[in-house]
Amino acid sequence: MSSIEERVKKIVAEQLGVKEEDVKPEASFVEDLGADSLDTVELVMALEEEFETEIPDEEAEKITTVQLAIDYIKENLG
Amino acid sequence: MTITTSLKDRVALVTGASRGIGAAIADMLGEQGATVIGTSTSEAGADKISQRFADKGITGTGRVLDVTSADSVASLLEGIKAEFGAPTILVNNAGITKDNLLMRMKDDEWASVLETNLTAVYRVSKACLRDMTKARWGRIINISSVVGSMGNAGQSNYAATKAGVAGFGRSLAAEVGSRGITVNTVAPGFIDTDMTKVLPEAQREALMGKIPLGRLGAPEEIASVVAFLASEAGGYVTGETIHVNGGMYMA
């Protein structure tokens, strides 16, 4: 089983159409990885499916970087 | 470039499909090859749809749906996905009228028409959108009315929802175009259905005089426009309102 970090990075790469090596922890979805607002909504939906959880909208809005996504998953599912 | 009007391998959801325009739309999408789920507010209506599909050799089924209930929408979609796969064609057709002069209109007449004709379009579209964005393909077609553009005394509630649907469609079209999803509005004029049969004879006569083609439209003439928009052939049309009214109102 892959680690949470690996799983999150894989999803980000798939959803945003970027290379996995570019998905660095500090990378911002919008500023560094070229996501638009709809991409970020889809990304959260993909994370919800991968980790079988529901991320409330007010929490989802705060997930703006790869690390924040990893942190959220760890805190809420760890 | 080959362009097809076939809907083979598509799953289509049509609300309000037991009679009138919705029935014609559901049947035509089915005849073009789509698997169709047609909804009705009652068990009897849903059975009637299933029976009609069986008679015409259409793949699909009738289902009960209360478009004003989020739970009803959620459980319908869950069932469709399990049995047929997620719908990527949605036709928001279900609608009601509660006509009254504004000065006599009851809060309930206003609220219930808004809930069924406008809020439900938001609700069902939202519920289907996730799978359309995943599929990178989708068609949302909302059935409006000529009344939304030209107005009609006694229908301020109905007209507000029908104009609202068109604005909703334009905004959503801008939002999800990048995902290969088109959103359009079809605005029928005076069509021969149960909804227009109740109009007084004098009003029918007066309306007829304003229609250059000199006749009522048939439900199938709305369905054919919807089928076009749902197919690959209509793939570059989005955010548009298409009037189908025999020239009664030319926008």
Side-chain angles (χ1 to χ4, degrees), chain A residues 15 36 38-39 42 44-46 48-49, chain B residues 129-130 133-134 136 175-179:
Chain A
Q15 282 293 321
D36 65 18
L38 187 54
D39 288 320
E42 284 189 301
V44 168
M45 289 182 343
E48 287 177 334
E49 278 178 23
Chain B
L129 214 44
R130 187 175 186 140
T133 62
K134 272 200 211 160
R136 291 290 187 265
E175 222 171 280
V176 296
S178 63
R179 300 303 188 267

Side-chain angles (χ1 to χ4, degrees), chain B residues 11-13 37 39 63-65 70-90 123-132:
Chain B
V11 177
L13 171 60
I37 295 86
T39 76
R63 286 282 160 87
V64 175
L65 173 68
D71 289 345
S72 178
V73 171
S75 72
L76 172 78
L77 278 162
E78 208 172 299
I80 295 173
K81 282 194 237 178
E83 197 171 341
F84 304 102
T88 52
I89 299 171
L90 167 64
R123 186 177 292 123
V124 183
S125 300
K126 190 175 166 186
C128 291
L129 214 44
R130 187 175 186 140
D131 288 295
M132 290 185 192

Side-chain angles (χ1 to χ4, degrees), chain A residues 27-57:
Chain A
S28 150
F29 300 132
V30 174
E31 275 147 41
D32 301 318
L33 301 175
D36 65 18
S37 57
L38 187 54
D39 288 320
T40 59
V41 173
E42 284 189 301
L43 179 59
V44 168
M45 289 182 343
L47 290 170
E48 287 177 334
E49 278 178 23
E50 170 72 18
F51 295 100
E52 292 174 358
T53 181
E54 279 202 23
I55 305 174
D57 287 347

Side-chain angles (χ1 to χ4, degrees), chain B residues 99 190 195-201 203-204 207:
Chain B
D99 299 353
F190 198 28
M195 200 187 258
T196 53
K197 277 195 183 81
V198 300
L199 293 174
E201 192 54 36
Q203 202 181 342
R204 285 170 73 97
L207 274 165

Side-chain angles (χ1 to χ4, degrees), chain B residues 3-27:
Chain B
I3 284 192
T4 171
T5 53
S6 165
L7 300 175
K8 200 172 164 292
D9 300 328
R10 303 285 184 202
V11 177
L13 171 60
V14 182
T15 66
S18 66
R19 58 201 172 113
I21 292 172
I25 292 169
D27 292 358

Side-chain angles (χ1 to χ4, degrees), chain B residues 38-90:
Chain B
T39 76
S40 169
T41 49
S42 71
E43 202 65 66
D47 290 346
K48 206 171 100 184
I49 295 166
S50 295
Q51 189 56 52
R52 214 178 57 232
F53 286 177
D55 292 345
K56 297 191 172 195
I58 292 167
T59 314
T61 182
R63 286 282 160 87
V64 175
L65 173 68
D66 172 5
V67 293
T68 68
S69 154
D71 289 345
S72 178
V73 171
S75 72
L76 172 78
L77 278 162
E78 208 172 299
I80 295 173
K81 282 194 237 178
E83 197 171 341
F84 304 102
T88 52
I89 299 171
L90 167 64

